[in-house]
Amino acid sequence: MAGEPQADCLFCKIVAGTVPATVVRETETTVAFRDINPQAPTHVLVIPRLHYPDAASLAAAEPNVTADVLREAGEIAAQEQVDEHGYRIVFNTGAGAGQTVFHAHAHVIGGRGLQWPPG
Ligand code: AMP
Ligand code: ZN
């Protein structure tokens, strides 16, 4: 069924607690944890508990959960005090754009200068 946990998915394992993560916030629908290979002083991933391969498929199936992910991204930016200076919410989509984990996730990146356009 759509949204069901996938046995071979790393982020489903983090949701289930069978792979450890440094969790910074949790809600009924989302989990947020520090990226294992941070690209900035603040680099947190926000994921839905439900499994969808990318942000667009999550949004098509679960608009409310998608809003939860975005709201949590904002809450993390405030918690990490990067909101005043500015931060970035990134959804890499597809291998050609750098997506390596095919469970939808928002990168919340801040705490340093951020170039535009991104690489
Ligand atoms: P993406 O490349 O957009 O799919 O993002 C996947 C992110 O997950 C990368 O930034 C990785 O550093 C991060 N990552 C991979 N394994 C783990 C893990 N076990 N705990 C936390 N973050 C991870
Ligand atoms: Zn998953």
Side-chain angles (χ1 to χ4, degrees), residues 9 11-12 51 103:
C9 173
F11 287 177
C12 283
H51 178 95
H103 178 130

Side-chain angles (χ1 to χ4, degrees), residues 14-26:
I14 287 177
V15 169
T18 57
V19 165
T22 305
V23 173
V24 295
R25 282 179 70 89
E26 280 189 276

Side-chain angles (χ1 to χ4, degrees), residues 63-79:
N64 292 335
V65 176
T66 308
D68 294 344
V69 169
L70 285 172
R71 192 190 57 252
E72 282 300 300
E75 292 290 340
I76 285 152
Q79 189 172 301

Side-chain angles (χ1 to χ4, degrees), residues 4-6 9-13 49-52 102-104:
E4 290 293 302
Q6 301 295 302
C9 173
L10 174 64
F11 287 177
C12 283
K13 290 177 186 164
R49 290 182 186 275
L50 296 173
H51 178 95
Y52 286 89
F102 289 83
H103 178 130

Side-chain angles (χ1 to χ4, degrees), residues 16-87:
T18 57
V19 165
T22 305
V23 173
V24 295
R25 282 179 70 89
E26 280 189 276
T27 69
E28 216 172 280
T29 57
T30 65
V31 181
F33 52 93
R34 296 203 185 279
D35 197 292
I36 205 167
N37 181 24
Q39 301 302 312
T42 291
H43 189 171
V44 174
L45 302 176
V46 186
I47 67 173
R49 290 182 186 275
L50 296 173
H51 178 95
Y52 286 89
D54 57 37
S57 60
L58 175 71
E62 296 282 350
N64 292 335
V65 176
T66 308
D68 294 344
V69 169
L70 285 172
R71 192 190 57 252
E72 282 300 300
E75 292 290 340
I76 285 152
Q79 189 172 301
E80 300 271 317
Q81 299 180 307
V82 297
D83 53 334
E84 276 198 19
H85 177 79
Y87 62 97

